[in-house]
Amino acid sequence: MQDFYRQQASPIHKLDARVKLILALAFIFFLNLTPDGAWPALIIFLTVSFSIAIISHLGIIFVLKRSLIALPFFLAAFPLIFSGKSPHLPLQILPNLTIFYSPAGLQRFITIALKAWISVQAAILLTATTRFTDILTALQQMKLPRLWVTVIGLMWRYLFVISDEVTRMLHARSSRSAAAPGKAKGAGTLFWRARVTGNMAGSLFVRSIERSERVYTAMLARGYDGQLPASSTVPLTNRARLVIATGLLGLLLLWLFSLLSTS
Amino acid sequence: MLFSPPSSPPAMHIPDGFLSVWVSASFWIISAIVLTIALRKTSHSLEKRQVPLMGVLAAAIFAGQMLNFSVAGGTSGHLLGAALAVILLGPWPAVVVMTSVVSVQALLFQDGGILALGANIFNMAIIGVFISYTVFSVLARLIKKRPIGLLVSGFTAAWSSIFVAALACGLQLAISGTSPANIAIPAMAAIHALIGIGEGLITTGALTFLLATRADLLKPEGQAKVSHKGILGVGSLIAVLLVFLSPFASSHPDGLEWVAEQNSFLQTAREAFYNIIPDYALPGISNSALATIIAGLVGIVVVFAIAYLTARAEKRSSAIERLRD
């Protein structure tokens, strides 16, 4: 397992994590408030996202590749093309096959797809330019519940250890269940396969619970008293405040522009 | 070792862009309230040792989603884990753990959106846990016989948590006007009725393993002490509402669309904005075609400005880097 942080010396990487978190959230918020069919505004949102990809030295290709993850979900909005508001126009596909589609629905589908695509880019840019520990510190500094941030922090710390454990278990399973060439892999009944996987999950949980007991002992030995040491709250610098204010103002203006630019 | 998220991403993590902002915002508020209650309840009853337990178990549930088994035709079943978390930890810590899992999936792996995170937490962490707990505790009380009762109630709890969460997801999409209710809800229900069987089988397998090795973890005494009547009530209510309202909603999609339109505060915001700049104030833009052209021109100018500034900043920083070298 690998997290998606990419070390680069860029101005975006150097920004305070709180600034990036707030601006990424605001970006996605205003993007999603943009009405259907506000193409000029959506193009500007996309341009902003691409610009940040370039400034942060990540490159557009990296962001494009990772942003494919939201693709399968587009299926959910696909029926809109046919079920959207009337009027429904005929569209001839084959000489004797005509389907009816709704232009309003098509416009909504494209808008949704664009919004989903640009939003996921913003999230990718946030995680690729910010270490997860910095995001955690930012969440703590923004006064989110201490216990929750602690649980997420511990989870992140052990995620990589445990995913290695899972990988080893999967290796062990596939090396024990070799199949003759030409025979379908994963022999045995479906029920049997599910039970084996279930047993693996059970053993993973037992190992994790036992690991957490060792972790707890180690924490006690280092003076754990029920609270993880809090990172000091450094107030935002004036420059960071200025970046937040400018960014929010820009996004607000962009949204107002999107309201004007719908046809 | 490169992490590949589950080969078929669970069809329940809603990305950003698919929920209208008011739906996202309302579910953020609901989820924040429930999470606050869960955190308060957990830290009251919490022993110190449970903090690392919750963190490590959250990691195990996340990584456990890599455990899959082939079903047919390249599809595979894998674990989501709400029911197992409830059985091992009890409902309130399970809410905290599942919320952490769903949040890290969104923040770190873009599996599910950030604005949609409130709704995703609601579906997978809150509904998943509440429904699992309700079904599990009711059935475990009905079927007293030890191993069979545990396995049957575990299977049913896991299946229903997936199924009801999927109904909620379909409803949220329909209310947002993203997917027609008569398609979204039956489709989500049908797919997840199958995915739920996989979840149920893995959960049962895990429970048999736990029974054989660490039966002490499954002793219900910890949960029997505090009976969570509130969760039972809310869980049953959610189940009844979603299971009985969904067929109704999907057979009357117009009703949901009406809700979507009534609540679209976007529309109200737009009207308010047009009232600020009434037509006569900008005589040039009263013509809608002209307005579009002007908007397009402004858009092009802004795009060029951004592109120009980006390129200039980029040039300067690479010049500085060259100087450093």
Side-chain angles (χ1 to χ4, degrees):
Chain A
M1 190 179 293
Q2 188 187 48
D3 69 359
F4 295 108
Y5 176 71
R6 293 283 175 280
Q7 175 65 45
Q8 294 282 357
S10 83
I12 307 283
H13 284 72
K14 280 179 204 130
L15 276 179
D16 191 302
R18 280 170 286 183
V19 176
K20 284 185 269 188
L21 203 59
I22 291 171
L23 286 183
L25 254 176
F27 180 87
I28 297 174
F29 179 78
F30 281 114
L31 170 64
N32 280 278
L33 272 182
T34 303
D36 290 354
W39 312 125
L42 287 173
I43 291 174
I44 298 178
F45 273 112
L46 187 63
T47 317
V48 172
S49 161
F50 281 173
S51 309
I52 293 172
I54 295 171
I55 298 178
S56 59
H57 299 264
L58 294 166
I60 295 176
I61 305 287
F62 167 80
V63 176
L64 286 188
K65 257 196 227 151
R66 289 273 304 131
S67 67
L68 292 179
I69 190 169
L71 210 61
F73 215 89
F74 287 2
L75 220 59
F78 190 71
L80 276 179
I81 299 177
F82 309 104
S83 72
K85 284 201 189 74
S86 15
H88 290 235
L89 301 182
L91 179 73
Q92 197 156 39
I93 310 177
L94 293 170
N96 48 5
L97 179 66
T98 309
I99 55 168
F100 286 84
Y101 76 102
S102 141
L106 181 65
Q107 173 174 326
R108 179 144 177 73
F109 172 73
I110 298 176
T111 308
I112 289 174
L114 272 176
K115 282 183 186 174
W117 186 49
I118 304 173
S119 304
V120 85
Q121 287 178 11
I124 291 165
L125 287 171
L126 173 68
T127 44
T129 61
T130 320
R131 282 196 187 83
F132 195 65
T133 42
D134 292 342
I135 294 185
L136 282 178
T137 316
L139 290 178
Q140 202 173 47
Q141 286 165 340
M142 287 156 75
K143 305 274 179 256
L144 267 88
R146 195 63 182 284
L147 176 64
W148 187 50
V149 179
T150 307
V151 170
I152 293 190
L154 283 166
M155 168 187 175
W156 181 76
R157 194 164 293 178
Y158 289 98
L159 193 54
F160 303 92
V161 178
I162 292 179
S163 77
D164 282 350
E165 183 127 35
V166 173
T167 316
R168 286 195 293 276
M169 291 168 86
L170 288 173
H171 279 313
R173 179 180 67 177
S174 42
S175 53
R176 268 175 297 161
S177 42
K183 257 197 115 183
K185 225 183 149 217
T189 60
L190 182 64
F191 185 74
W192 179 81
R193 287 202 297 273
R195 208 191 59 197
V196 169
T197 313
N199 286 347
M200 285 161 74
S203 123
L204 178 70
F205 278 97
V206 169
R207 289 184 199 182
S208 305
I209 289 167
E210 282 163 0
R211 185 186 293 280
S212 87
E213 280 155 11
R214 294 196 298 278
V215 168
Y216 172 67
T217 325
M219 284 164 80
L220 270 188
R222 288 173 177 79
Y224 172 67
D225 61 348
Q227 292 275 316
L228 283 193
S231 45
S232 53
T233 308
V234 191
L236 282 168
T237 58
N238 280 336
R239 193 173 155 269
R241 281 172 210 275
L242 189 68
V243 174
I244 294 181
T246 322
L248 290 181
L249 186 69
L251 288 168
L252 186 69
L253 287 177
L254 185 49
W255 176 61
L256 292 178
F257 167 71
S258 79
L259 296 185
L260 270 181
S261 67
T262 39
S263 38
Chain B
M1 155 87 239
L2 193 84
F3 172 76
S4 59
S7 51
S8 56
M12 220 189 290
H13 292 77
I14 308 173
D16 281 326
F18 286 83
L19 294 184
S20 67
V21 171
W22 71 269
V23 172
S24 305
S26 351
F27 280 103
W28 256 118
I29 294 170
I30 299 173
S31 298
I33 293 172
V34 179
L35 180 63
T36 312
I37 299 173
L39 284 168
R40 191 163 297 161
K41 296 258 183 193
T42 312
S43 46
H44 271 308
S45 63
L46 196 69
E47 295 171 51
K48 277 189 291 178
R49 69 169 60 235
Q50 266 188 312
V51 176
L53 175 65
M54 291 200 302
V56 175
L57 264 187
I61 287 176
F62 191 156
Q65 299 187 352
M66 291 156 74
L67 291 174
N68 54 1
F69 62 98
S70 56
V71 176
T75 58
S76 60
H78 61 82
L79 186 72
L80 291 174
L84 269 177
V86 170
I87 297 170
L88 286 172
L89 292 167
W92 289 118
V95 169
V96 177
V97 164
M98 290 307 292
T99 306
S100 311
V101 172
V102 177
S103 308
V104 171
Q105 281 170 336
L107 275 177
L108 203 53
F109 297 98
Q110 286 82 46
D111 205 357
I114 297 183
L115 198 61
L117 182 57
N120 283 328
I121 289 178
F122 183 79
N123 296 346
M124 282 172 278
I126 296 173
I127 289 199
V129 166
F130 278 30
I131 296 291
S132 298
Y133 179 75
T134 309
V135 172
F136 185 79
S137 53
V138 168
L139 275 183
R141 247 166 251 175
L142 285 180
I143 316 172
K144 284 269 160 47
K145 222 172 147 197
R146 186 64 175 141
I148 291 296
L150 185 74
L151 298 182
V152 169
S153 34
F155 179 89
T156 323
W159 184 85
S160 22
S161 71
I162 301 281
F163 184 71
V164 177
L167 289 182
C169 176
L171 264 176
Q172 287 157 353
L173 290 174
I175 298 175
S176 301
T178 302
S179 201
N182 53 348
I183 296 176
I185 297 173
M188 288 302 277
I191 296 170
H192 287 88
L194 291 176
I195 293 182
I197 294 179
E199 171 89 1
L201 287 176
I202 299 184
T203 305
T204 323
L207 287 177
T208 31
F209 184 88
L210 290 170
L211 266 180
T213 51
R214 288 285 304 268
D216 56 310
L217 295 173
L218 297 175
K219 291 249 168 67
E221 62 205 77
Q223 293 166 32
K225 253 187 283 172
V226 213
S227 73
H228 303 276
K229 289 219 178 79
I231 296 186
L232 269 179
V234 176
S236 323
L237 191 71
I238 294 175
V240 168
L241 270 180
L242 285 175
V243 172
F244 291 98
L245 279 187
S246 299
F248 180 75
S250 54
S251 57
H252 296 83
D254 305 345
L256 271 182
E257 262 162 38
W258 183 80
V259 173
E261 271 166 27
Q262 289 301 306
N263 286 298
S264 162
F265 84 82
L266 193 81
Q267 212 58 39
T268 25
R270 260 175 93 176
E271 276 154 22
F273 183 67
Y274 282 128
N275 287 341
I276 298 173
I277 309 175
D279 284 338
Y280 57 82
L282 294 166
I285 305 191
S286 58
N287 180 325
S288 78
L290 190 65
T292 314
I293 294 171
I294 292 178
L297 282 178
V298 172
I300 291 168
V301 169
V302 175
V303 170
F304 270 108
I306 294 175
Y308 173 72
L309 289 176
T310 307
R312 217 183 60 171
E314 185 52 28
K315 211 167 147 191
R316 210 179 48 198
S317 70
S318 55
I320 293 173
E321 258 166 46
R322 235 176 289 136
L323 276 183
R324 268 200 210 124
D325 295 341

